[in-house]
Amino acid sequence: MPKIHGIESAGLTKAQADQIATSVDDFDLLRAFCRRVDRLEQSGFSKRFETDVPNVIAKMNEPSFQREEGLRFSIVARVESWVEDFSQDEIDAFVLSYRVFTQDNDRFSIRNLSKIFAKDWMHPNARECFEDARAQLNGHLDSASTISFPEGRISVRALVDTIIYGGLAHSNEEKSKIFDSWEHSGIMGFIWAEFMAYAREVVDTLKYMRGLILDLIASIEEHGLTVSVAEGE
């Protein structure tokens, strides 16, 4: 087991120091997670939409006016919408990182990170803040999107999954058919705007989690603790 130096000056018991020593691999993963978030923060998507909001442009093609009862009338037209300065390359690059943070089989996933925050050595306040951030992000996913279909509004989670696994990864046949229908419907600009709003929250949440980790590491190192591997191990 790695040895902890600076135990006495830090005011730790041997049991507490041993507990930190067994968590060395956790710290390595947490640091690697932070570096991965750094890369995401420097991506074109993150930089462009850190403060800007996607601008959706829509127009009605071939409109026809239908008179109804009294002074009312309705307009029937083919809608076309798009996001101004849309970059598919930026979206594709973001999704590659997004899947790293959200797929359970990846060691950097938020769910796997939660297992570290649930361990006994973790500071309770850091654990609570992490779980609050995670719950807020899941709450956004489970909320209704602004996109309305004849059957009603779908959840943000359903919209995101359809875009990623139907439109970009093409790993789900049913979702691919749904995405193709969206592309031909003329509402794709609004679909992308909804996705980008969620993606921006993802980036903000990951940056917040990175801040929790960096503060945690800084708090431990502030006490002068260092780790070394004992000879023969």
Side-chain angles (χ1 to χ4, degrees), residues 3-189:
K3 289 187 176 181
I4 301 294
H5 304 277
I7 296 174
E8 294 181 0
S9 61
L12 297 175
T13 65
K14 184 180 183 304
Q16 290 172 321
D18 288 344
Q19 195 173 48
I20 293 176
T22 59
S23 305
V24 170
D25 289 342
D26 292 339
F27 281 102
D28 287 342
L29 190 147
L30 291 174
R31 288 189 176 95
F33 172 88
C34 291
R35 291 193 294 270
R36 192 73 193 224
V37 176
D38 290 342
R39 288 171 54 186
L40 176 62
E41 187 179 18
Q42 295 305 311
S43 68
F45 176 88
S46 298
K47 285 184 175 180
R48 185 141 70 100
F49 293 108
E50 183 176 9
T51 55
D52 294 344
V53 176
N55 183 32
V56 179
I57 300 173
K59 68 176 182 178
M60 293 189 298
N61 297 316
E62 304 171 3
S64 63
F65 297 84
Q66 298 181 357
R67 188 182 183 89
E68 297 182 358
E69 183 180 354
L71 298 178
R72 295 183 301 163
F73 66 90
S74 60
I75 301 176
V76 177
R78 183 169 57 85
V79 176
E80 183 181 0
S81 64
W82 63 93
V83 174
E84 190 175 26
D85 298 325
F86 179 81
S87 172
Q88 188 65 57
D89 288 341
E90 288 182 356
I91 293 294
D92 291 346
F94 168 81
V95 168
L96 283 176
S97 291
Y98 175 82
R99 294 178 71 179
V100 166
F101 292 117
T102 57
Q103 290 185 329
D104 293 343
N105 60 349
D106 197 290
R107 68 192 189 107
F108 293 134
S109 72
I110 293 176
R111 178 168 292 182
N112 284 333
L113 205 66
S114 71
K115 296 176 183 178
I116 296 178
F117 274 85
K119 292 187 176 182
D120 291 340
W121 65 264
M122 180 62 64
H123 193 286
N125 185 58
R127 182 186 303 120
E128 181 180 357
C129 290
F130 174 87
E131 289 301 335
D132 284 348
R134 184 185 178 199
Q136 182 173 333
L137 191 61
N138 278 320
H140 187 161
L141 278 170
D142 292 331
S143 65
S145 71
T146 59
I147 310 299
S148 182
F149 294 92
E151 298 80 9
R153 292 193 293 172
I154 64 172
S155 69
V156 174
R157 188 185 300 275
L159 183 144
V160 170
D161 284 352
T162 300
I163 287 178
I164 293 177
Y165 300 107
L168 302 182
H170 300 289
S171 59
N172 184 291
E173 184 177 357
E174 182 60 30
K175 287 182 171 61
S176 292
K177 292 178 181 178
I178 295 174
F179 184 83
D180 288 343
S181 71
W182 289 356
E183 284 200 307
H184 291 91
S185 69
I187 64 169
M188 207 59 209

